[in-house]
């Protein structure tokens, strides 16, 4: 048991929906960190610098969600290679010397969530969407995909962005129109990074023997696409899997306790979603 008083929190806007407090508090309870607290704060880009400057020595770390993942970078003393590769920080750890170090646990969290389902390597993959999560997905695929990644996008501008990310991350990226997104469902690994409802129409085109779908949404769950995928016997990795695995890495960095209690954190997350 440790009664040392330490603070952590998740920042973003909007933030009321965040499951991070549930996951981190479950970890603290399991680890016996009775003096640790984890809160949520509604903070936008304008309010972020003042919050960071006022963070005293009791602060261990922060989780960051939109729209702060890029805005935080100029306020840090150091940024990991992983975070720099996608220009997005979702984790800040405060050192004993006051240094602020930024990292991105979404990328290794994706890899860990896939590995948990037995996906160590794929020959090719498809990404649905081209937003910030899609760039993290590309960075994750840079670690496990040996061949081409096809991104299905809605505009020429988005297509150009995805190809640029591919060049930066050393991933072979080909872009196709969203109108042909049903073709993505035949890939060995499909990563859906789009907002709720966007892929519903694709559920009618799931092949008879689908491979693996990684749908980054977790509420509402399952999505229509994930439900049909499961019904046809395909493997499905959910947004909760991603959320838990990236939070595990955050807890380990912030508290120094390894391994973090994955099972307890996932159970807490599932209970919270059921309650909603």
């Amino acid at each position: 048991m440790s009664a040392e008083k330490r603070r952590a929190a998740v920042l973003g806007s909007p933030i009321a929906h965040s499951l991070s407090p549930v996951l981190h508090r479950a970890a603290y309870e399991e680890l016996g960190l009775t003096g640790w607290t984890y809160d949520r704060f509604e903070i936008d880009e304008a309010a972020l610098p003042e919050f960071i400057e006022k963070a005293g020595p009791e602060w261990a770390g922060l989780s960051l969600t939109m729209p702060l993942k890029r805005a935080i970078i100029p306020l840090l003393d150091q940024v990991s290679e992983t975070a720099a590769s996608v220009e997005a920080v979702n984790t800040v750890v405060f050192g004993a010397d006051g240094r602020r170090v930024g990292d991105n646990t979404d990328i290794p969290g994706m890899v860990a969530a896939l590995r948990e389902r037995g996906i160590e390597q794929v020959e090719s993959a498809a990404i649905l969407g081209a937003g910030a999560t899609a760039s993290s997905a590309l960075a994750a695929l840079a670690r496990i995909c040996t061949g081409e990644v096809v991104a299905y996008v809605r505009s020429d501008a988005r297509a150009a962005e995805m190809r640029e990310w591919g060049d930066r991350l050393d991933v072979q990226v080909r872009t196709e129109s969203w109108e042909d997104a049903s073709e993505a469902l035949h890939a060995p690994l499909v990563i859906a990074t789009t907002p709720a409802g966007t892929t519903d129409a694709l559920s009618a085109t799931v092949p008879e023997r689908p491979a693996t779908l990684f749908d980054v949404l977790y509420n509402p769950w399952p999505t229509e696409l994930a439900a049909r995928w499961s019904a046809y016997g395909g493997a499905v990795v959910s947004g909760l899997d991603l959320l838990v695995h990236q939070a595990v890495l955050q807890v380990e960095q912030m508290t120094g306790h390894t391994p973090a209690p994955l099972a307890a954190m996932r159970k807490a997350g599932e209970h919270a979603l059921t309650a909603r």
Side-chain angles (χ1 to χ4, degrees):
M1 303 284 284
S2 172
E4 179 188 15
K5 301 293 184 184
R6 300 304 306 275
R7 296 188 70 184
V10 59
L11 314 182
S13 183
I15 201 62
H17 68 286
S18 176
L19 276 181
S20 292
V22 171
L23 303 180
H24 285 253
R25 289 168 187 169
Y28 298 164
E29 182 176 358
E30 190 76 8
L31 293 169
L33 300 177
T34 58
W36 284 65
T37 59
Y38 189 101
D39 302 298
R40 63 164 67 90
F41 292 95
E42 181 83 17
I43 300 289
D44 60 15
E45 292 154 296
L48 182 61
E50 182 180 5
F51 187 98
I52 296 297
E53 287 303 319
K54 287 185 175 180
E58 74 278 11
W59 281 91
L62 298 169
S63 307
L64 298 162
T65 185
M66 300 305 290
L68 306 179
K69 293 184 179 183
R70 186 168 292 179
I72 188 67
I73 293 176
L75 307 176
L76 302 175
D77 298 300
Q78 181 181 340
V79 175
S80 71
E81 289 186 16
T82 301
S85 72
V86 290
E87 296 178 1
V89 166
N90 78 327
T91 307
V92 175
V93 175
F94 295 95
D97 57 359
R99 285 175 57 81
R100 308 164 188 149
V101 179
D103 194 13
N104 185 308
T105 64
D106 286 331
I107 295 165
M110 283 187 177
V111 174
L114 287 165
R115 184 177 295 125
E116 187 179 33
R117 302 302 174 89
I119 310 297
E120 298 277 352
Q121 190 176 82
V122 291
E123 294 181 355
S124 61
I127 294 178
L128 299 173
T133 306
S135 62
S136 291
L138 266 184
L141 288 171
R143 303 183 181 193
I144 66 167
C145 184
T146 59
E148 182 181 64
V149 176
V150 185
Y152 292 82
V153 301
R154 292 190 181 278
S155 70
D156 291 342
R158 289 293 199 182
E161 286 179 12
M162 288 299 283
R163 289 193 295 269
E164 288 173 11
W165 280 117
D167 290 342
R168 284 186 57 171
L169 296 164
D170 197 24
V171 179
Q172 182 184 346
V173 175
R174 173 164 58 91
T175 54
E176 297 289 349
S177 169
W178 183 261
E179 294 177 358
D180 299 318
S182 60
E183 293 299 314
L185 308 188
H186 296 275
L189 171 60
V190 181
I191 304 181
T193 69
T194 51
T198 306
T199 62
D200 288 356
L202 295 177
S203 62
T205 63
V206 173
E208 288 188 6
R209 295 182 179 179
T212 300
L213 170 69
F214 193 157
D215 195 324
V216 303
L217 295 173
Y218 62 84
N219 190 26
W221 186 262
T223 62
E224 288 191 24
L225 179 61
R228 180 65 65 91
W229 201 276
S230 292
Y232 279 27
V236 175
V237 184
S238 75
L240 181 61
D241 294 321
L242 168 59
L243 194 65
V244 170
H245 276 283
Q246 65 83 28
V248 160
L249 296 170
Q250 289 185 333
V251 169
E252 291 175 351
Q253 289 189 30
M254 293 179 193
T255 69
H257 287 263
T258 303
L262 172 67
M265 294 169 70
R266 174 180 275 127
K267 185 177 180 180
E270 289 171 347
H271 284 175
L273 287 177
T274 300
R276 289 182 182 181

